[in-house]
Amino acid sequence: MGLLIRLAIAWAINLAALWVADAIWDGVRINGAAAFIIGSAVLGIANTVIKPLLALLTLPLILVTLGLFYLVINIAMVALAEWIAPNFSIDGFWTYVGATIVVWLLNWILHGAFGLREDSRFVRARARSTVFD
């Protein structure tokens, strides 16, 4: 699958995840197509560029908290998208946590369904080798 197609699918997945978070949580308000498009683009770029750097810099803290600090990093990525996108607001800490979990879960499920996860290629290759052995 080409890079542009992968990026377009990832962007659409983030958009769908934000739409679901907006539908589930009363404290998440995303008004207008521009807010969804810009928010999902910012979320995709932040997850691709900023999140790995933050995870590397805070690795000791992530290990000490048994991975809980990684949730804080994910919340920060959603907060960045909220800050940059117009007509996008999230009210309250627990709403941030819930929206972040919804976005993470949908990204995980849909990236696996479209074969965009790094480990999905390994799983498919392993399954093929098991079938033909």
Side-chain angles (χ1 to χ4, degrees), residues 54 61 67-79 93 100:
L54 282 177
L61 192 54
L68 192 59
F69 193 76
Y70 202 64
L71 177 64
V72 174
I73 293 173
N74 285 328
I75 290 170
M77 298 302 103
V78 172
F93 174 75
T100 300

Side-chain angles (χ1 to χ4, degrees), residues 74-97:
N74 285 328
I75 290 170
M77 298 302 103
V78 172
L80 180 66
E82 177 209 8
W83 182 60
I84 292 176
N87 300 318
F88 182 167
S89 69
I90 300 176
D91 300 329
F93 174 75
W94 292 111
T95 308
Y96 269 108
V97 172

Side-chain angles (χ1 to χ4, degrees), residues 23-130:
I24 291 175
W25 301 101
D26 290 335
V28 177
R29 287 183 300 282
I30 307 173
N31 300 317
F36 280 107
I37 292 170
I38 294 170
S40 61
V42 169
L43 194 58
I45 292 167
N47 283 337
T48 303
V49 178
I50 299 170
K51 188 164 102 176
L53 293 173
L54 282 177
L56 185 63
L57 290 173
T58 61
L59 187 60
L61 192 54
I62 292 171
L63 293 174
V64 167
T65 62
L66 301 175
L68 192 59
F69 193 76
Y70 202 64
L71 177 64
V72 174
I73 293 173
N74 285 328
I75 290 170
M77 298 302 103
V78 172
L80 180 66
E82 177 209 8
W83 182 60
I84 292 176
N87 300 318
F88 182 167
S89 69
I90 300 176
D91 300 329
F93 174 75
W94 292 111
T95 308
Y96 269 108
V97 172
T100 300
I101 290 172
V102 166
V103 168
W104 167 78
L105 186 62
L106 279 172
N107 266 286
W108 183 72
I109 291 169
L110 294 176
H111 272 82
F114 284 103
L116 298 177
R117 280 202 315 253
E118 293 82 20
D119 62 339
S120 64
R121 266 187 262 143
F122 173 75
V123 170
R124 283 195 310 269
R126 183 124 166 109
R128 270 189 241 124
S129 69
T130 310

